[in-house]
């Protein structure tokens, strides 16, 4: 059972930056494909970014492309989301997720961290 704990959320002004972290309990962290999702009030959860376990290939939602960067540090069992040029519409609870097999649903989820961007 993988436990994921997010941190780094907070309140920031439009145009500001935040870096989210997601620490995993699993020592075989490197085998997991990792992703970030977000859910704004009254909206469905949406995909933000993903990083492949082996190749490190990243994929982004169009809404964050060029502003957000997902990365991972396997030695620290941690995945990051660097968020720059933040907009009010980025306000949401951000959660990380993990899975072993591509094409399968994400198996493990963190509880999320709140990001609020003021205008």
């Amino acid at each position: 059972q993988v436990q994921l704990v997010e941190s780094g959320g907070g309140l920031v002004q439009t145009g500001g930056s935040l870096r989210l972290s997601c620490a995993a309990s699993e020592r075989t962290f490197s085998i997991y494909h990792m992703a970030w999702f977000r859910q704004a009030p009254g909206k469905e959860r949406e995909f933000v970014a993903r990083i492949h376990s082996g190749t490190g290939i990243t994929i982004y939602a169009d809404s964050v492309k060029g502003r957000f960067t997902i990365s991972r540090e396997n030695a620290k069992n941690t995945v990051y989301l660097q968020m720059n040029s933040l907009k009010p519409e980025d306000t949401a609870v951000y959660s990380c997720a993990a899975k072993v097999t591509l094409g399968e649903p994400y198996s493990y989820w963190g509880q999320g961290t709140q990001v609020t961007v003021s205008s």
Side-chain angles (χ1 to χ4, degrees):
Q1 185 78 11
V2 179
Q3 293 184 332
L4 303 173
V5 179
E6 301 94 338
S7 61
L11 174 64
V12 64
Q13 291 185 333
T14 297
S17 298
L18 282 174
R19 188 176 83 153
L20 306 183
S21 300
C22 171
S25 62
E26 179 60 51
R27 281 188 284 181
T28 57
F29 172 77
S30 63
I31 71 171
Y32 289 88
H33 305 293
M34 301 297 297
W36 287 94
F37 290 78
R38 67 186 182 186
Q39 187 166 21
K43 295 187 177 181
E44 293 188 353
R45 184 169 60 197
E46 65 172 353
F47 166 78
V48 175
R50 184 184 88 195
I51 184 164
H52 192 279
S53 62
T55 64
I57 291 174
T58 56
I59 297 174
Y60 297 92
D62 287 343
S63 58
V64 306
K65 203 171 292 184
R67 300 187 297 122
F68 290 12
T69 302
I70 187 172
S71 62
R72 63 191 299 157
E73 193 169 356
N74 289 338
K76 293 187 176 181
N77 295 349
T78 301
V79 63
Y80 303 98
L81 185 68
Q82 177 66 44
M83 306 185 294
N84 299 328
S85 302
L86 282 162
K87 306 174 182 179
E89 51 263 44
D90 294 318
T91 295
V93 174
Y94 286 71
S95 301
C96 64
K99 64 179 177 180
V100 174
T101 305
L102 287 175
E104 295 291 330
Y106 285 90
S107 304
Y108 306 102
W109 293 84
Q111 291 189 330
T113 185
Q114 176 71 46
V115 171
T116 303
V117 184
S118 63
S119 57

